[in-house]
Short mmCIF file of all heavy atoms in Angstrom, two decimals:
data_model
loop_
_atom_site.label_atom_id
_atom_site.label_comp_id
_atom_site.label_asym_id
_atom_site.label_seq_id
_atom_site.Cartn_x
_atom_site.Cartn_y
_atom_site.Cartn_z
N LEU A 1282 184.54 106.57 80.75
CA LEU A 1282 185.69 107.36 80.30
C LEU A 1282 185.62 108.73 80.94
O LEU A 1282 184.58 109.40 80.90
CB LEU A 1282 185.74 107.54 78.76
CG LEU A 1282 186.90 108.36 78.18
CD1 LEU A 1282 187.30 107.87 76.78
CD2 LEU A 1282 186.55 109.84 78.11
N HIS A 1287 189.95 105.21 81.83
CA HIS A 1287 188.97 104.54 80.95
C HIS A 1287 188.89 103.07 81.39
O HIS A 1287 189.29 102.16 80.67
CB HIS A 1287 189.41 104.67 79.49
CG HIS A 1287 188.35 104.39 78.48
ND1 HIS A 1287 187.05 104.04 78.82
CD2 HIS A 1287 188.39 104.41 77.12
CE1 HIS A 1287 186.35 103.87 77.71
NE2 HIS A 1287 187.13 104.08 76.67
N ASN A 1319 193.93 109.19 79.68
CA ASN A 1319 193.10 108.22 80.41
C ASN A 1319 193.57 106.78 80.15
O ASN A 1319 193.63 105.96 81.07
CB ASN A 1319 191.62 108.41 80.05
CG ASN A 1319 191.38 108.69 78.58
OD1 ASN A 1319 192.17 108.29 77.73
ND2 ASN A 1319 190.28 109.38 78.27
N ASP A 1383 197.34 104.94 71.74
CA ASP A 1383 196.03 105.59 71.70
C ASP A 1383 196.24 106.94 71.01
O ASP A 1383 197.38 107.38 70.83
CB ASP A 1383 195.48 105.76 73.13
CG ASP A 1383 194.08 106.37 73.15
OD1 ASP A 1383 193.37 106.26 72.12
OD2 ASP A 1383 193.71 106.97 74.17
N THR A 1384 195.16 107.59 70.69
CA THR A 1384 195.24 108.90 70.03
C THR A 1384 196.17 109.84 70.80
O THR A 1384 196.25 109.77 72.03
CB THR A 1384 193.83 109.54 69.91
OG1 THR A 1384 193.97 110.80 69.25
CG2 THR A 1384 193.17 109.75 71.27
N SER A 1387 193.35 113.42 72.76
CA SER A 1387 192.14 112.93 73.43
C SER A 1387 191.04 113.99 73.38
O SER A 1387 191.32 115.19 73.23
CB SER A 1387 192.45 112.59 74.88
OG SER A 1387 193.16 111.37 74.95
N MET A 1388 189.81 113.52 73.57
CA MET A 1388 188.66 114.44 73.57
C MET A 1388 188.85 115.51 74.64
O MET A 1388 189.20 115.20 75.78
CB MET A 1388 187.37 113.65 73.83
CG MET A 1388 186.99 112.76 72.65
SD MET A 1388 185.49 111.82 72.94
CE MET A 1388 186.13 110.41 73.84
N CYS A 1423 192.44 101.25 71.56
CA CYS A 1423 191.03 101.28 71.99
C CYS A 1423 190.11 101.81 70.91
O CYS A 1423 188.91 101.56 70.96
CB CYS A 1423 190.89 102.09 73.28
SG CYS A 1423 191.17 103.86 73.08
N LEU A 1424 190.68 102.56 69.93
CA LEU A 1424 189.92 103.19 68.85
C LEU A 1424 189.03 104.31 69.42
O LEU A 1424 188.59 104.18 70.55
CB LEU A 1424 189.07 102.16 68.08
CG LEU A 1424 189.82 100.95 67.51
CD1 LEU A 1424 188.82 99.99 66.85
CD2 LEU A 1424 190.90 101.36 66.52
N1 NVA B 464 192.10 108.82 75.00
C1 NVA B 464 190.94 108.89 74.14
C2 NVA B 464 190.15 107.61 74.25
C3 NVA B 464 188.96 107.56 73.32
C4 NVA B 464 188.14 106.32 73.51
C5 NVA B 464 190.09 110.09 74.49
O1 NVA B 464 189.91 110.36 75.68
O2 NVA B 464 189.60 110.76 73.56
#
Side-chain angles (χ1 to χ4, degrees):
L1282 180 149
H1287 197 0
N1319 41 26
D1383 183 23
T1384 181
S1387 284
M1388 290 179 276
C1423 69
L1424 305 177

